[in-house]
Amino acid sequence: MKLIFLGPPGAGKGTQAAGVSAHLGVPHISTGDMFRSAIKNQTPTGIEAKKYLDAGELVPDSVTIAMVKERLSMDDAKNGYLLDGFPRTVDQAIALDAIDAPDAVVDIDVPDERLLSRLTGRRVCGKCQGTFHISKLADEHTCPVCGGEVYQRADDKPETIATRLKAYHDQTEPLIGYYSGLGKLRRVDVASLASVDGDSRPEDVFKAILASLE
Ligand code: AP5
Ligand code: MG
């Protein structure tokens, strides 16, 4: 299956992608993770992308599309993919349709007011790349899965989050109409799954994603 996760920053795309990609037997391809790795390794793409990630703005389409095209040509993507964070503009979606069109697009819909605390409280493990919320960590520096050290993403500062949310609404949200028009959109309304504390359990979101694909 060829699947896209659409949704605002902090919607839980990365959290859900690990389990869903394993369930479907397709690689999880996150353009954000690819850019962060390129920045760490100081590749030409990383050097170009860094200023945009630091500012919370989208990397230019030409750079992003070339990177994804190369990734999708690799052997492990021959039988499908789970794209997380791509496409993010209508031009990227049109380019993907020409490269290897998706079968379905899951829009993980979380209201803006829940996103800020999710993102400012997010911690990522430097060793296993697991994503956690600080409120769920017994030790705020240590990964509960592998014992690695957890860190805060550089773009999870409130001022950068505001720019990322604006980029989402201005440039990415139009993709909901684009894929709806193609009959490929599946919506997972996370607010409707909320428990007493107002948020939803990741395992309930996982079940809702699989149900949306049936
Ligand atoms: P990217 O890395 O893709 O960031 P993003 O889209 O802003 O999304 P996030 O990774 O912040 O959120 P997520 O939905 O994965 O949430 P998560 O699972 O971590 O992109 C970063 C940058 O790269 C962009 O700003 C841009 O510069 C560049 N870029 C990337 N792709 C690009 C493209 N296509 N074109 C141009 N530029 C591009 O969860 C968040 C938090 O919520 C965690 O703390 C988690 O524990 C918690 N959480 C998850 N699920 C739940 C739940 N059900 N209930 C409560 N808490 C939950
Ligand atoms: Mg992510």
Side-chain angles (χ1 to χ4, degrees), residues 88-171:
R88 261 171 144 103
T89 64
V90 171
D91 282 349
Q92 291 180 13
I94 292 168
L96 180 64
D97 282 344
I99 299 167
D100 196 5
D103 301 312
V105 178
V106 175
D107 175 33
I108 306 178
D109 187 8
V110 179
D112 275 15
E113 61 270 22
R114 303 223 70 91
L115 300 172
L116 183 66
S117 65
R118 281 188 180 205
L119 290 168
T120 53
R122 171 169 53 191
R123 297 293 181 273
V124 182
C125 175
K127 201 167 153 196
C128 73
Q129 311 308 321
T131 297
F132 310 96
H133 195 271
I134 196 163
S135 62
K136 304 277 193 306
L137 292 176
D139 168 354
E140 63 180 88
H141 303 293
T142 309
C143 173
V145 176
C146 76
E149 197 175 334
V150 300
Y151 68 94
Q152 183 169 29
R153 258 171 57 176
D155 60 350
D156 279 346
K157 294 189 288 275
E159 59 277 21
T160 317
I161 291 168
T163 308
R164 289 163 60 201
L165 274 175
K166 184 169 177 349
Y168 170 75
H169 289 300
D170 292 350
Q171 292 168 272

Side-chain angles (χ1 to χ4, degrees), residues 60-82:
D61 284 345
S62 56
V63 178
T64 310
I65 291 166
M67 182 177 78
V68 171
K69 191 172 181 184
E70 189 188 346
R71 180 66 186 83
L72 290 180
S73 72
M74 292 180 183
D75 275 353
D76 67 340
K78 289 282 179 279
N79 294 320
Y81 56 70
L82 196 178

Side-chain angles (χ1 to χ4, degrees), residues 10 12-15 31 36 57 85 88 92 122 153 164 200:
K13 301 182 294 296
T15 300
T31 42
R36 282 183 287 278
E57 291 164 3
R88 261 171 144 103
Q92 291 180 13
R122 171 169 53 191
R153 258 171 57 176
R164 289 163 60 201
S200 50

